[in-house]
Amino acid sequence: MADILSLKEAVLVYLDRSGGLRKLVEDCKPFNDPQQIEAVYRFCISVNPSDVIELDPALGDCVLHNPLAATALFKSVNVILKLTHLPPFPEYTLDLSSFPRGYGPVRPVSMEGLVIALTRVTKYTQGARFLCINDDCPCSTGFHHIRVHAPGATESATVGNNFSCMVCSSPLKEDVKFRVLGDKQLVELIHVKALDGLSAHQQSSLRYQSVTLFLRDPHKVSSSFQELLKFTAGSPWRFSAVVAHFFGSDMAPPGLYHTLKLGLLLSLVQTKSDEKNTFHNLDLLVVTTDTLIPDRLMMYSLGLACRGVRHQASGEMFASLSKDQHGAGTANIHAGSALLATGGICMLGDLGCYKKDRLDAIQSVLESCTVSVFIPGKKYGEDADQQLSFPVQCSFWALTESTDASRRSGRADCAILGTALVAHAQSLQVELTPEAEKIIHGYYMASRRVRTQSQGVKMSVASIKLLDARFFPTGASALVIPPDAVFPCDPGDVDGLHNRDVTLDELHQNILRFIYAYAPGADTYITEE
């Protein structure tokens, strides 16, 4: 008893020093609402094992080697201990290529691997309230029988019809209006070296077996990401700058490929359907002298899409036909990479590997957002020919080299394909804020005015293309264009972000001055800032 009391005292001291008690008070505030009545209250407590060991070695040993008992020490109805990290020792790392045999100590372990399969997110019961069917029993009311999910337990262990009252042994029935639900997902993980078996250049006799993990209550947005958004809320440019700066740091060091990283992120968040079932997408074409790092960044980003498909040169891009093998006597239509990527991203890779007919097909699909399949009647047992159309609802990512050698070899018709991307982008219905729309309108009015003035400064087409509305203004026609207006400063620290804000704000003001100077009547619809 003395040991348990000392451990509980250490728990209280740790929660006090780490801010856990303060967070617990904040988590309890929503439950003060008289309209909110629940049978189970669930709390998540972040635990830093290093701090716990320094405070009390016995408690630290319990947290790392007996997590269920440690949870009971922290427990208040339903508590989840979330370890911020684990000690950097082999005992706390599970190597998927050497899975342990036998039953060792049940301790938390970390593992890294390749996700080869996952289920959709479904619900499970975190906790439920049960009442005794005997009206004379005190457990027929109140909250005497509460069942909560335990790690490793099945759904039937939390909710079922075979539970008995602890007082009178009568059957219990669930009060379903007090059931508390959570999210769960199954993920199949395998060692990353298993990809060697798919390589045509390296064959291995090794065989890998996957491990299935249960993920419970997956968070959509991490708290650190929300803190970053809160920290950068005072600037219209900072959040995107910081995210793009550090995005994909394993593929490309921070500070490189800003525009590509930002484009990939925008494409990922833009590729979705709205409430009216209208699909929105953002296609990317990267023209570069070296495709290695852009290809790696695209592959890294593809894993973040809700559905990401990399097209293989040997496979079908859109749709193909075959004779039905089940006796139906009709055509079997096989979905290609683009249709398999519906709702997500289809990565085409290096366009230099495609012939002209394939590029023409890509251009046609980009213009119409549909795939047409012609079914010859004679070949597939029909009286007449048929043509079916399927909507293409994915974003395409592609890259190509801009070297003279590739142009001479005729490997890619970048001009034609580039026009088709641009044409598709122009067909999208983009919603602008009133302020951004007014600035764009005034900017082009001023641009036309400058062009028509014989004594005016001639504007280049490139300078017009540099315009973006307020959030990422990157240049202005008759003005001096900064060498790198999108990322003029290092977004890696606060001073760099401040200097970046100052530069972009000054550029924004210069655009407004340009509009006031050359656009007639601009002061009537654009407020001077």
Side-chain angles (χ1 to χ4, degrees):
M1 179 63 67
D3 291 338
I4 296 296
L5 291 177
S6 63
L7 289 176
K8 288 188 175 181
E9 181 181 359
V11 166
L12 188 61
V13 173
Y14 171 75
L15 291 177
D16 181 46
R17 293 184 181 180
S18 65
L21 290 179
R22 192 182 311 111
K23 181 179 181 299
L24 187 62
V25 171
E26 294 296 325
D27 292 342
C28 288
K29 286 183 179 179
F31 302 128
N32 291 331
D33 187 354
Q35 301 296 327
Q36 185 170 359
I37 302 177
E38 295 185 11
V40 178
Y41 298 93
R42 192 170 186 266
F43 303 97
C44 183
I45 298 177
S46 297
V47 177
N48 186 325
S50 299
D51 293 343
V52 175
I53 291 176
E54 185 175 347
L55 173 69
D56 190 290
L59 178 60
D61 180 75
C62 182
V63 168
L64 287 174
H65 298 100
N66 197 346
L68 295 181
T71 302
L73 293 173
F74 285 82
K75 192 167 187 177
S76 176
V77 180
N78 190 11
V79 168
I80 303 298
L81 293 187
K82 179 182 178 182
L83 302 185
T84 58
H85 68 281
L86 292 173
F89 302 121
E91 291 80 4
Y92 302 99
T93 302
L94 176 60
D95 187 352
L96 293 178
S97 64
S98 57
F99 197 82
R101 297 180 177 88
Y103 297 92
V106 182
R107 65 159 65 95
V109 294
S110 64
M111 64 183 74
E112 293 183 1
L114 179 70
V115 176
I116 60 173
L118 51 82
T119 66
R120 63 186 182 91
V121 177
T122 57
K123 298 295 183 181
Y124 80 101
T125 304
Q126 291 182 353
R129 174 198 187 192
F130 290 83
L131 298 175
C132 181
I133 64 172
N134 182 6
D135 294 337
D136 297 330
C137 179
C139 297
S140 62
T141 59
F143 298 89
H144 301 282
H145 291 93
I146 302 296
R147 299 188 68 86
V148 296
H149 171 78
T154 61
E155 183 74 1
S156 60
T158 308
V159 292
N161 55 8
N162 58 345
F163 303 131
S164 302
C165 177
M166 295 182 297
V167 176
C168 67
S169 299
S170 299
L172 296 176
K173 65 177 180 179
E174 182 190 355
D175 189 351
V176 293
K177 65 177 179 291
F178 284 95
R179 181 180 291 191
V180 180
L181 300 178
D183 295 329
K184 76 173 186 297
Q185 186 178 33
L186 274 68
V187 173
E188 200 169 344
L189 209 65
I190 201 168
H191 199 283
V192 69
K193 290 184 178 179
L195 288 179
D196 295 341
L198 302 177
S199 174
H201 306 288
Q202 182 178 357
Q203 298 296 331
S204 174
S205 60
L206 296 177
R207 296 295 181 266
Y208 296 91
Q209 183 165 342
S210 61
V211 176
T212 301
L213 303 178
F214 278 80
L215 304 181
R216 299 194 181 270
D217 309 305
H219 294 281
K220 294 184 178 180
V221 180
S222 66
S223 58
S224 58
F225 212 69
Q226 294 178 355
E227 287 296 323
L228 174 62
L229 182 61
K230 181 180 179 181
F231 170 74
T232 57
S235 167
W237 304 291
R238 288 194 179 189
F239 181 76
S240 57
V242 174
V243 172
H245 180 76
F246 291 104
F247 179 67
S249 58
D250 294 338
M251 306 296 109
L256 296 179
Y257 293 92
H258 287 107
T259 306
L260 173 58
K261 292 177 179 179
L262 183 58
L264 291 169
L265 288 170
L266 289 175
S267 182
L268 286 170
V269 299
Q270 174 70 9
T271 304
K272 61 181 180 180
S273 298
D274 57 21
E275 296 178 354
K276 300 179 181 178
N277 292 325
T278 301
F279 186 75
H280 304 277
N281 64 317
L282 178 61
D283 302 321
L284 294 180
L285 173 62
V286 179
V287 182
T288 178
T289 56
D290 185 4
T291 61
L292 179 61
I293 295 182
D295 182 79
R296 288 179 176 176
L297 280 172
M298 283 185 169
M299 282 300 297
Y300 172 80
S301 306
L302 197 66
L304 303 179
C306 60
R307 179 178 296 177
V309 176
R310 173 152 192 171
H311 175 68
Q312 302 296 329
S314 59
E316 179 58 45
M317 185 178 296
F318 301 116
S320 61
L321 296 175
S322 68
K323 289 186 178 181
D324 179 68
Q325 300 296 323
H326 302 283
T330 185
N332 196 14
I333 305 174
H334 302 271
S337 300
L339 295 180
L340 291 175
T342 296
I345 308 294
C346 179
M347 182 175 170
L348 302 180
D350 188 356
L351 293 180
C353 301
Y354 295 93
K355 296 181 179 179
K356 186 178 185 301
D357 60 341
R358 182 59 64 184
L359 294 175
D360 291 340
I362 296 174
Q363 178 181 349
S364 176
V365 170
L366 287 173
E367 291 175 347
S368 63
C369 294
T370 57
V371 168
S372 297
V373 180
F374 177 75
I375 305 177
K378 292 183 179 180
K379 184 176 181 179
Y380 293 101
E382 300 289 341
D383 295 333
D385 297 339
Q386 286 184 312
Q387 183 161 323
L388 301 179
S389 296
F390 300 93
V392 177
Q393 296 183 331
C394 68
S395 289
F396 290 97
W397 290 355
L399 49 87
T400 186
E401 294 185 12
S402 60
T403 58
D404 293 336
S406 64
R407 287 198 295 267
R408 286 196 303 267
S409 64
R411 289 167 54 203
D413 192 347
C414 300
I416 296 178
L417 186 63
T419 302
L421 283 169
V422 174
H424 179 65
Q426 290 174 343
S427 67
L428 295 177
Q429 298 296 323
V430 180
E431 295 183 3
L432 296 175
T433 61
E435 294 80 7
E437 190 171 1
K438 291 176 182 178
I439 291 178
I440 291 178
H441 178 69
Y443 179 87
Y444 282 102
M445 284 185 61
S447 301
R448 290 194 297 268
R449 182 75 174 272
V450 169
R451 284 184 171 184
T452 57
Q453 290 178 350
S454 58
Q455 302 298 326
V457 179
K458 295 295 183 181
M459 287 177 48
S460 66
V461 176
S463 63
I464 295 179
K465 291 181 179 179
L466 287 173
L467 173 69
D468 196 346
R470 184 178 178 102
F471 297 103
F472 299 98
T474 60
S477 60
L479 309 173
V480 177
I481 301 174
D484 189 359
V486 181
F487 295 92
C489 303
D490 181 15
D493 54 44
V494 177
D495 292 336
L497 289 172
H498 175 72
N499 294 335
R500 184 176 184 276
D501 283 350
V502 171
T503 302
L504 293 178
D505 186 65
E506 182 181 354
L507 182 58
H508 175 226
Q509 297 299 323
N510 290 339
I511 292 176
L512 291 177
R513 295 188 191 100
F514 171 71
I515 294 174
Y516 273 96
Y518 293 98
D523 55 339
T524 61
Y525 58 86
I526 296 182
T527 304
E528 184 175 6
E529 300 182 27

